[in-house]
């Protein structure tokens, strides 16, 4: 029998209407209600990864670890469906299931995934070998999205890999995490001064919780504080398939629905309808697995792929040119807010389209970043204090004058400029050109 308390929290999750806010109103209550519902649930081990691995070893089952930011509205619908959808139950019961609601003590060498998602799943063997990752930007963008077909496909794929283990160990090598400069998030300086290993259930539990997106932010700050360039894979983590010109179906493991003309994928010969058999030699369980391959891909070079097309396996090669990673769109990532403070002083920028450029008399191939918004407080107010105004158009920044997106500009500045330096900026304001200094933070 499933816990009535669990069904109660699921009903509460499903009842949350879509609102513009990023979190639920009662964040503290949400976390405590989740604990009450889950800590004695028959299926789920609550917030105890070590116990999950021990149980997986004991039973021989694969381990499924859900990482969920409970106060976040994103993925609310998916979270509720995974907890209670009847069709998923028989599949979930083939796993040891663990629900983790905070990142404080995560083993960062083992748990490497898209930290900007509020709901992720990693599938393991009991010996620690990772089978794959699941994460959905469709659900991240829409709290009402509750479709679980893609999740079910990932569960089925993980079970198939588990049945083939350890014979398939070599194919899984590329999926594993690698060495990290910090063992856990609370060892990263930005977080060490604020958080402990355990949640403060006796006080304000939300304030004691390291959210997953804070891990990526703290890593970037650690490089910044040492006066080092932020690595590109930290600025552009887990690149979306669209970065290379592919759109993948959210209801399948890795099936192509569209190929952008003249893209890297088009040049490589990918076609709509192709289904990935392997990418960089790895079997894929989801779109997140595809992004992981790109995350670990070289700065330039070739990535091998095999796709199923008309019932046959077709080998293809995706060639990545120098600078490909900077084409990743990071504008909607929660982690980008802190990078906007670091590199842009809190500015939110949009590349003007051709029509808007023509109207303003600006060239189609030049820099034209429109100041859509700007922060008002703390580090996000630095640009405002430096004299920038909403509706300014940046036409030169730190010597960069060619057409560039906000995402590319952030990467440029985080690589080229150190903490405490300034970048020379020219903006068009009405009919005037104004020279400003943008502080790097």
């Amino acid at each position: 029998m499933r816990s009535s308390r669990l069904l109660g929290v699921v009903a509460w999750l499903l009842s949350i209407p879509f609102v513009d806010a990023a979190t639920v109103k009662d964040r503290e209550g949400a976390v405590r209600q989740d604990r009450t519902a889950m800590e004695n649930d028959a299926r789920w081990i609550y917030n105890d990864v070590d116990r999950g691995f021990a149980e997986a070893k004991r039973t021989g089952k694969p381990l499924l670890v859900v990482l969920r930011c409970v106060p976040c509205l994103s993925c609310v619908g998916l979270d509720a469906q995974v907890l209670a959808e009847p069709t998923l139950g028989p599949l979930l019961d083939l796993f040891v299931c663990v629900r983790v609601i905070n990142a404080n003590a995560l083993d960062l060498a083992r748990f490497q995934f898209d930290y900007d998602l509020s709901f992720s799943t990693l599938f393991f063997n009991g010996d620690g070998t990772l089978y794959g990752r699941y994460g959905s930007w469709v659900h991240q963008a829409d709290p009402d999205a509750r479709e679980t077909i893609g999740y079910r496909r990932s569960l089925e794929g993980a079970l198939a890999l588990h049945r083939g283990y350890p014979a398939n160990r070599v194919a899984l090598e590329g999926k594993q995490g690698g060495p990290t400069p910090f063992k856990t998030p609370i060892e990263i300086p930005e977080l060490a001064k604020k958080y402990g290993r355990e949640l403060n259930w006796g006080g304000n539990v939300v304030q004691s919780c390291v959210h997953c997106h804070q891990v990526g932010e703290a890593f970037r700050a650690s490089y910044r504080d040492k006066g080092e360039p932020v690595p590109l894979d930290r600025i552009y983590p887990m690149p979306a398939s669209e970065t290379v010109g592919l759109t993948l179906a959210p209801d399948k493991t890795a099936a192509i629905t569209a190929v952008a003309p003249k893209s890297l994928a088009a040049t490589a010969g990918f076609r709509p309808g192709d289904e990935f058999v392997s990418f960089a030699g790895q079997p894929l369980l989801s779109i997140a697995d595809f992004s992981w391959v790109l995350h670990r891909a070289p700065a330039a070079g070739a990535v091998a792929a095999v796709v199923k097309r008309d019932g046959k396996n077709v080998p293809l090669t995706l060639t990545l040119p120098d600078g490909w990673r900077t084409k990743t769109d990071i504008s909607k990532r929660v982690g980008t807010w802190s990078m906007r403070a670091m590199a842009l002083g809190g500015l939110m920028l949009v590349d003007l389209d051709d029509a808007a450029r023509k109207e303003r008399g600006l060239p189609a191939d030049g820099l034209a970043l429109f100041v859509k918004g700007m922060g008002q407080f703390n580090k996000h107010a630095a640009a405002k204090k430096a004299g920038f105004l909403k509706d300014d158009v940046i036409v030169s920044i730190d010597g960069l004058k060619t057409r560039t997106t906000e995402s590319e500009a952030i990467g440029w500045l985080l690589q080229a400029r150190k903490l405490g330096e300034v970048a020379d900026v020219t903006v068009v304001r009405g009919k005037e050109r104004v020279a400003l200094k943008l502080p790097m933070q």
Side-chain angles (χ1 to χ4, degrees):
M1 295 287 292
R2 303 302 308 283
S3 166
S4 60
R5 290 181 295 182
L6 172 58
L7 297 178
V9 79
V10 168
W12 171 74
L13 286 168
L14 291 174
S15 71
I16 296 175
F18 176 78
V19 295
D20 290 335
T23 61
V24 297
K25 291 182 179 179
D26 182 8
R27 301 171 72 215
E28 187 79 9
V31 173
R32 293 184 180 280
Q33 187 169 359
D34 187 79
R35 183 195 190 195
T36 299
M38 300 299 304
E39 63 180 348
N40 294 312
D41 184 74
R43 174 180 293 147
W44 293 89
I45 294 173
Y46 186 73
N47 232 29
D48 191 340
V49 172
D50 291 340
R51 180 184 160 199
F53 274 107
E55 187 67 7
K57 286 181 180 180
R58 185 186 71 81
T59 62
K61 289 182 176 182
L63 175 66
L64 175 157
V65 181
V66 163
L67 299 116
R68 170 64 178 148
C69 182
V70 175
C72 182
L73 277 177
S74 300
C75 296
V76 163
L78 177 61
D79 187 29
Q81 295 303 104
V82 169
L83 290 177
E85 185 177 309
T87 60
L88 288 180
L91 282 173
L92 291 172
D93 287 340
L94 298 176
F95 293 84
V96 173
C97 297
V98 178
R99 182 175 176 84
V100 176
I101 66 161
N102 66 296
N104 299 47
L106 284 182
D107 180 345
L108 290 173
R110 177 173 283 172
F111 284 89
Q112 296 179 13
F113 57 100
D114 195 332
Y115 298 126
D116 283 331
L117 291 172
S118 68
F119 180 101
S120 295
T121 301
L122 278 71
F123 306 96
F124 295 94
N125 183 276
D127 67 6
T129 300
L130 182 71
Y131 291 137
R133 300 162 174 83
Y134 174 89
S136 170
W137 280 96
V138 171
H139 295 84
Q140 182 79 5
D142 182 6
D144 288 335
R146 297 170 186 173
E147 181 55 66
T148 59
I149 294 177
Y151 197 75
R152 188 179 305 121
R153 298 283 183 266
S154 295
L155 294 173
E156 293 167 345
L159 289 169
L161 291 177
H162 186 66
R163 288 192 295 270
Y165 189 79
N168 55 10
R169 188 192 295 269
V170 172
L172 299 174
E173 286 179 355
K175 286 177 171 281
Q176 311 310 307
T180 62
F182 307 100
K183 184 176 181 180
T184 65
I186 58 171
E187 294 177 17
I188 309 175
E190 184 80 3
L191 301 176
K193 54 193 176 187
K194 300 177 184 177
Y195 299 94
R197 183 179 180 86
E198 303 297 332
L199 293 180
N200 181 18
W201 292 107
N204 190 315
V205 67
V206 172
Q207 289 185 1
S208 70
C209 174
V210 174
H211 299 274
C212 288
H213 70 84
Q214 291 178 281
V215 177
E217 293 168 0
F219 265 118
R220 288 186 285 271
S222 71
Y223 291 103
R224 198 73 166 163
D225 291 344
K226 290 186 293 185
E228 298 176 2
V230 180
L232 286 178
D233 63 346
R234 295 291 181 189
I235 301 171
Y236 306 103
M238 298 292 284
S241 60
E242 285 79 7
T243 304
V244 296
L246 290 178
T247 301
L248 301 180
D251 59 347
K252 299 193 177 186
T253 51
I256 299 171
T257 59
V259 181
K262 300 181 181 180
S263 65
L264 299 178
T267 301
F270 291 96
R271 300 178 187 174
D274 288 348
E275 295 192 32
F276 279 88
V277 176
S278 65
F279 193 32
Q282 302 172 31
L284 304 184
L285 298 184
S286 68
I287 294 174
D289 267 357
F290 184 95
S291 291
W292 170 256
V293 173
L294 291 183
H295 183 70
R296 298 294 290 270
V303 182
V306 177
V307 298
K308 187 170 289 296
R309 179 185 296 166
D310 300 326
K312 298 179 181 178
N313 285 353
V314 179
L316 298 170
T317 300
L318 179 68
T319 301
L320 301 172
D322 187 49
W324 70 269
R325 196 181 299 269
T326 65
K327 304 302 180 183
T328 307
D329 181 8
I330 59 172
S331 61
K332 293 181 175 61
R333 285 180 168 269
V334 64
T336 300
W337 284 104
S338 62
M339 287 192 279
R340 287 191 178 105
M342 287 178 177
L344 301 177
L347 296 175
M348 179 182 286
L349 306 176
V350 177
D351 178 38
L352 287 179
D353 61 26
D354 289 345
R357 288 163 176 264
K358 185 176 181 180
E359 182 182 342
R360 288 171 167 79
L362 299 172
D365 58 352
L367 185 69
L369 291 171
F370 177 74
V371 178
K372 179 181 179 181
M374 55 199 310
Q376 304 296 313
F377 305 102
N378 303 320
K379 289 185 176 182
H380 284 86
K384 178 182 177 181
K385 293 176 181 177
F388 288 82
L389 299 177
K390 190 174 179 298
D391 297 340
D392 281 348
V393 178
I394 296 176
V395 293
S396 175
I397 183 168
D398 200 38
L400 181 65
K401 297 181 180 180
T402 57
R403 189 161 189 167
T404 303
T405 65
E406 180 199 53
S407 298
E408 291 173 301
I410 288 172
W412 169 275
L413 290 169
L414 289 182
Q415 288 266 299
R417 289 291 175 185
K418 297 178 181 179
L419 176 69
E421 295 182 342
V422 296
D424 292 320
V425 179
T426 301
V427 305
V428 172
R429 183 177 296 166
K431 295 183 179 180
E432 293 184 280
R433 289 190 173 232
V434 181
L436 298 168
K437 299 284 187 181
L438 183 62
M440 299 292 104
Q441 302 183 101

